[in-house]
Amino acid sequence: MTFLDLLRERVVVYDGAFGTYMQQQGLTADDFGGPALEGCTDLLAVTRPDLIRQMHGEFFDAGADVVETATFGAFAIPLGEYGIAERAHEINVAAARLAREVADGFATPDRPRFVAGSIGPGTKFASLGQIRFAELRDAYEVQVRGLLEGGVDLLVIETQFDLLGLKAAVIGARRAMGASNRQVPIQAQVTIELTGRMLPGTEIGAALAAVDPLGVDVIGINCATGPAEMSEHLRHLSQHSRMPISCIPNAGLPSVVDGAMHYDLSAEEFVAHQERFVRELGVQVVGGCCGTTPEFIRLLAERVRDVEPARREPVHEPAVTSIYSQVPLRQDTAFLMIGERTNANGSKKFRDAMLAQDWDQCVRMAAEQVKEGAHILDVCVDYVGHDGTVDMDEIAARFATQANAPLVLDSTEPQVMEAGLQWIGGRPILNSANLEDGEAPGSRLDRVMTLAKTYGAAVICLLIDEEGQARDVEWKMRVAHRIADIAVDRYGLEPSDLIFDALTFPLSTGDDDLRRDAMATMDAIRRIKAEIPGALTVLGVSNVSFGLSPAARHVLNSVFLHECVEAGLDAAIVHPSKILPLNRISDEQRDVSLDIIYDRRGAAGALSGSDPGYDPL
């Protein structure tokens, strides 16, 4: 029986607090290997293996199904503060082997016992630039290699206060599993402060939206508070998480009594909350964090062992998210507005600010778009003669925390997208994937889809193949189906991760070959929604009016956008303040726009063969 098998059968009980247990042992500097290492509890697996065995044994004896390895801070960053970063692999192997030995000693044919490799957040904040993503990811990879070598059954990435750090841990773990040719489940747990948010201000909905596409096996909450303060966050997970839920709280809120740390819940009070979470919210994994002892776990195991978790029917909402809050990809009453002004190819003001390295101005432009109504920001730094990875690194580092909106990382170069991904703790969108150079390994499609799967991003897919930009409806649909099949079957993405851009050409040229392109685009939007269930659609609207006067562009863009939304369009890349409500457009202007869009001869016919300066609006 595997850990996931057990999870499908009944509530799984974890052990209690490692730190609390050790604080009761009267440790001295000698237990850690000398004064310079005092307090490095991860070293105890090497210096005091007897104590680690004793602890695991007491928790198993109390009724725990799973014990966590004594490795919460056993990776290069925390260990480096003691000058022993290079011992990470050694310590993790030793700790995992100790836990494995004790677990195997308690296991019986009808009562398996499991070892979870504990992976903590460390002491540096990736989203604030205190450590680079790649350095943190690589340190986690070393740790997980040691845990796998030592024989853990699963990994628990816990007490994560920063979504970017959590991503680094998941990606590092997957790299280690690939290198070790051994796959184990991943349980990911965030910590919610008394403010009701994670440390940087992340809501539980944003955390779920970012973690869900990473493909972990269990999601949950641990540490920071007691169970009572976790109730509403667990309720959100109960209603929306497609993964099993874990809850591993502290023994209440802490205080200092007679010079010692004290937590305000008794074992009975602690367990009563946990039992309610199982019965009412369908929580499937329980255990104890700070302040919980074998006594807590004994009572918890007795009370929840035969309790049937409440049946959940979670409603999954495809969403993207900033580090603060989520934005559903499907808007109930409108379309999703993607602000286009932070694009170096479309906004001279943004490009000039970027080239001048006026990062404050770039941030102000992002904030202005949000204020104008943009739900998401399109970020493109591509500019001839500039290293896009450097510019994206600068922009994304700021936008990730200073722009209160999810981001679209827009580039023709996948390495530029990845430079942005390594700053984004939330869930972004990649723009874009297409089949221009095919689908073989190393193609643009391959590289972008791999990034999307690795970092948990959504993807804008352009209807372009080896023959060029798809023009007629059948061509567009062949490309859409081909991309969808590849994304789902080869890369493990879901249809709701895919946002198809049906593309359109300008209607303002008078070229007879282009006159019906807007209708083909709208027909493709309808068919994508019908034939690829779950997929979404997007359009860069302003291309339809290229070449007209600014006033005419605002009118044609607004009318065309309305028609596309009626056809089922989910999102549009626009300048929000330049989109006009239909009631602010005169009947004459609206009719001319519709004539152009639907190729109705008459006013629109004047475009055909007209001089370049003709402006029907």
Side-chain angles (χ1 to χ4, degrees), residues 40-326:
C40 184
T41 53
D42 301 291
L43 256 182
L44 294 172
V46 176
T47 60
R48 288 295 308 274
D50 58 314
L51 203 53
I52 301 300
R53 287 192 190 92
Q54 175 184 307
M55 177 189 68
H56 291 324
E58 289 188 31
F59 279 120
F60 275 135
D61 188 61
D65 300 300
V66 182
V67 296
E68 296 187 25
T69 55
T71 56
F72 183 78
F75 56 102
I77 289 79
L79 293 178
E81 297 177 4
Y82 293 93
I84 55 171
E86 75 286 353
R87 297 186 66 181
H89 182 266
E90 168 204 352
I91 293 169
N92 281 280
V93 172
R97 285 177 176 166
L98 286 172
R100 175 83 276 145
E101 174 190 329
V102 179
D104 290 345
F106 274 85
T108 64
D110 61 346
R111 182 75 191 280
R113 304 298 179 106
F114 298 99
V115 176
S118 172
I119 302 168
T123 54
K124 295 186 178 180
F125 208 138
S127 286
L128 297 185
Q130 294 174 356
I131 186 169
R132 297 290 300 205
F133 176 90
E135 181 184 356
L136 187 55
R137 175 202 64 205
D138 293 348
Y140 279 130
E141 181 179 352
V142 172
Q143 178 180 27
V144 174
R145 285 195 187 204
L147 292 170
L148 293 171
E149 184 178 330
V152 299
D153 300 295
L154 70 150
L155 303 170
V156 55
I157 298 169
E158 59 182 331
T159 323
Q160 295 291 322
F161 55 78
D162 176 20
L163 289 178
L164 188 57
L166 188 154
K167 281 190 178 182
V170 171
I171 294 172
R174 294 209 187 284
R175 286 187 167 204
M177 286 190 276
S180 303
N181 197 28
R182 181 167 179 249
Q183 301 294 316
V184 299
I186 297 177
Q187 182 168 312
Q189 294 173 172
V190 297
T191 186
I192 307 288
E193 306 292 330
L194 282 172
T195 59
R197 294 170 178 253
M198 293 170 65
L199 197 56
T202 310
E203 298 173 342
I204 189 63
L208 176 59
V211 172
D212 178 272
L214 295 176
V216 303
D217 300 278
V218 179
I219 188 172
I221 305 173
N222 79 288
C223 206
T225 71
E229 293 77 18
M230 295 180 175
S231 180
E232 289 309 306
H233 312 304
L234 291 169
R235 190 175 304 280
H236 181 91
L237 294 179
S238 176
Q239 293 169 347
H240 299 290
S241 172
R242 298 185 289 181
M243 298 161 279
I245 301 166
S246 65
C247 175
I248 302 182
N250 293 345
L253 299 177
S255 60
V256 177
V257 178
D258 297 329
M261 188 64 71
H262 172 76
Y263 292 85
D264 65 1
L265 292 184
S266 67
E268 177 62 40
E269 292 169 321
F270 174 86
V271 168
H273 285 288
Q274 293 275 63
E275 184 181 358
R276 179 171 64 82
F277 295 155
V278 173
R279 292 186 184 278
E280 297 180 8
L281 302 179
V283 170
Q284 291 173 259
V285 178
V286 295
C289 204
C290 302
T292 59
T293 64
E295 175 195 355
F296 280 73
I297 301 308
R298 189 179 306 280
L299 185 58
L300 180 62
E302 290 172 357
R303 289 278 285 276
V304 304
R305 180 78 64 202
D306 298 320
V307 175
E308 183 76 20
R311 184 176 178 83
R312 297 193 298 120
E313 296 181 356
V315 178
H316 173 61
E317 294 180 328
V320 289
T321 176
S322 67
I323 199 173
Y324 306 114
S325 55
Q326 68 164 330

Side-chain angles (χ1 to χ4, degrees), residues 555-563 582 585 590 593-594 597:
V555 171
L556 183 56
N557 290 347
S558 301
V559 175
F560 181 54
L561 175 59
H562 177 268
E563 296 301 298
L582 289 187
I585 298 173
R590 186 172 65 252
S593 296
L594 292 172
I597 292 166

